[in-house]
Amino acid sequence: MSTNGHGGGVARPGFRTLTAGLLLAAAAWGLYSLDSQIQVFGFGASGPDARSFPRLALWLLAAVVALRLVLSLRSEDFPLGNPVRLGRVLAVTASSAAALWAMPQVGFFFGAAGAGIVVALMLGERRPILLVLPLIVAAVVTFGGRHGLSIPLP
């Protein structure tokens, strides 16, 4: 295994590899769950529908990230660094995934606000006024989506 990126073999995985792997996994999950997430009432019409642009964007993201992942396997990568910082990154990722998973059961407002508060705490925010900000943003997005745009949110 080459660790300097000059010989044959595969370079030691690091931050870039972790980021590309997580993005590729998210794009693959998005493509897998796209049909169940966006309801389309086509009435037999062929051609582009509401899933066409998200599907194209997700395939493009998956292709670019997969290419980046393959190309970065032979080049030197940044080390993952301090385990505490990596723990924060994983906690933010896990809270976002948990919020998306819980939204059908608890609703958009509670999922988005909960994830926002966890992310703010993980990034070091301790001022109470700024911990209320995710609640305000989630309320505005929920109200605007439901009443302003007539989008059915979970």
Side-chain angles (χ1 to χ4, degrees), residues 68-87:
R68 178 67 187 142
L69 190 59
V70 168
L71 291 176
S72 71
L73 287 178
R74 292 189 55 111
S75 64
E76 186 67 22
D77 203 351
F78 299 107
L80 290 177
N82 188 352
V84 173
R85 294 179 75 194
L86 180 61

Side-chain angles (χ1 to χ4, degrees), residues 2 9-10 16 19 29 31 33-35 37 41 47 51 59 61-62 83 86 90 96 121 132 154:
S2 172
V10 177
R16 239 183 317 184
T19 304
W29 178 80
L31 285 166
S33 65
L34 186 64
D35 290 335
Q37 296 296 322
F41 304 103
R51 290 183 285 235
W59 274 112
L61 175 67
L86 180 61
L90 293 177
S96 300
L121 288 171
V132 176

Side-chain angles (χ1 to χ4, degrees), residues 25-150:
W29 178 80
L31 285 166
Y32 173 75
S33 65
L34 186 64
D35 290 335
S36 65
Q37 296 296 322
I38 300 176
Q39 295 179 0
V40 176
F41 304 103
F43 303 111
S46 63
D49 58 17
R51 290 183 285 235
S52 298
F53 180 72
R55 183 176 289 122
L56 176 68
L58 285 170
W59 274 112
L60 185 61
L61 175 67
V64 168
V65 170
L67 179 64
R68 178 67 187 142
L69 190 59
V70 168
L71 291 176
S72 71
L73 287 178
R74 292 189 55 111
S75 64
E76 186 67 22
D77 203 351
F78 299 107
L80 290 177
N82 188 352
V84 173
R85 294 179 75 194
L86 180 61
R88 287 182 184 167
V89 170
L90 293 177
V92 167
T93 304
S95 70
S96 300
L100 288 172
W101 178 77
M103 274 186 195
Q105 289 82 21
V106 300
F108 176 81
F109 175 75
F110 292 111
I117 291 171
V118 169
V119 167
L121 288 171
M122 285 294 113
L123 296 179
E125 186 56 57
R126 298 291 184 252
R127 292 177 283 186
I129 191 71
L130 290 180
L131 289 176
V132 176
L133 188 60
L135 293 169
I136 295 169
V137 170
V140 168
V141 171
T142 302
F143 182 79
R146 286 190 180 154
H147 302 292
L149 299 173
S150 300

